[in-house]
Amino acid sequence: MVPQISPSILSADFARLAEEAKAVEGADWLHVDVMDNHFVPNLTLGVPVVESLARATDTPLDCHLMIEAPDRWAPQYVEAGAGSVTFHVEAATAPVRLAREIRAKGARASMALRPATPIEPYEDLLPELDMLLIMTVEPGFGGQAFLDIMLPKIRRTRELISKHGLELWLQVDGGVSASTIEQCADAGADVFVAGSAVYGASDPAESVRALRKQAEAATSRASWLHDH
């Protein structure tokens, strides 16, 4: 299990997106938050910006759709160049069908859970996914404080993934920083979205390297890795 870092351009300078994407080219993914002002109370960017970003960087795009009607819109993000597309289960009408459509179009299919949404009802869906995203803040705004009450949910999710023997990535998003990433890795996360912790740093690329090093160290000590 190699930890991956996915810097969130929500925390970048929107007037310089191509440069901001290049500033983190050592990252595994570039996390793109799509908000529609309906599912969450904020409005960010959409398909045209994703198309432009895909041309501007070699880093694969990890699109997190915080939008209503993802069944309708998610496939367009694959066509726009996203390598991974995350929809919220709370907004999806037919999550299995949607995950299969995203995969069929050539991207990794990912499902996100808001903090209050439990993982257990979705256990049977896990084989349909390439990644599961556990929100560690309420979706909608960058720069929020990490909700440590999500750590038991991350642990339970990792246990379900192990129980079924799945090659499923477990992503966390919200308040991930040098002070919280080791707790997340210890609980079972292996893909880390970091916004202000990367783009608020004087050297974003160095911040990515430092976060990855912390996550690798915590993962190598984690009980969930050694118990299975």
Side-chain angles (χ1 to χ4, degrees):
M1 306 298 284
V2 179
Q4 301 182 71
I5 307 296
S6 184
S8 171
I9 62 158
L10 185 63
S11 299
D13 179 350
F14 274 28
R16 300 169 49 249
L17 281 184
E19 293 163 60
E20 295 282 58
K22 284 188 170 59
V24 294
E25 278 188 340
D28 301 281
W29 295 87
L30 189 63
H31 190 81
V32 183
D33 287 307
V34 177
M35 306 183 194
D36 64 356
N37 206 27
H38 294 285
F39 182 70
V40 290
N42 203 349
L43 188 66
T44 54
L45 42 82
V47 168
V49 175
V50 171
E51 286 177 341
S52 299
L53 268 173
R55 289 193 298 268
T57 180
D58 292 330
T59 308
L61 302 184
D62 165 26
C63 285
H64 176 194
L65 308 184
M66 288 169 268
I67 62 174
E68 289 181 353
D71 304 75
R72 177 182 175 192
W73 298 112
Q76 293 186 25
Y77 285 88
V78 186
E79 291 161 11
S84 175
V85 176
T86 302
F87 60 88
H88 268 266
V89 71
E90 303 90 352
T93 307
V96 171
R97 186 177 67 202
L98 179 55
R100 289 180 177 180
E101 188 175 357
I102 291 168
R103 279 176 156 180
K105 285 184 174 287
R108 295 178 62 86
S110 171
M111 188 173 84
L113 306 180
R114 298 181 91 137
T117 304
I119 179 58
E120 287 77 9
Y122 303 106
E123 180 177 350
D124 292 344
L125 271 64
L126 296 182
E128 300 288 339
L129 303 169
D130 298 298
M131 183 167 74
L132 190 89
L133 165 55
I134 293 188
M135 292 297 297
T136 42
V137 297
E138 285 295 341
F141 294 92
Q144 297 181 69
F146 178 79
L147 294 173
D148 57 5
I149 56 167
M150 290 297 107
L151 290 168
K153 182 170 158 185
I154 297 168
R155 289 185 195 280
R156 293 196 307 274
T157 304
R158 174 53 66 188
E159 284 165 10
L160 289 177
I161 292 169
S162 299
K163 171 182 158 185
H164 293 281
L166 299 172
E167 293 289 317
L168 179 65
W169 296 352
L170 181 50
Q171 186 179 62
V172 286
D173 179 6
V176 175
S177 66
S179 58
T180 59
I181 193 166
E182 291 179 31
Q183 297 173 69
C184 294
D186 181 67
D190 55 8
V191 185
F192 305 89
V193 177
S196 40
V198 170
Y199 280 112
S202 55
D203 185 342
E206 176 54 37
S207 176
V208 168
R209 287 191 289 273
L211 287 169
R212 185 184 284 115
K213 198 170 175 182
Q214 276 188 279
E216 285 171 350
T219 299
S220 68
R221 299 188 299 266
S223 59
W224 61 266
L225 191 63
H226 301 296
D227 290 348
H228 299 284

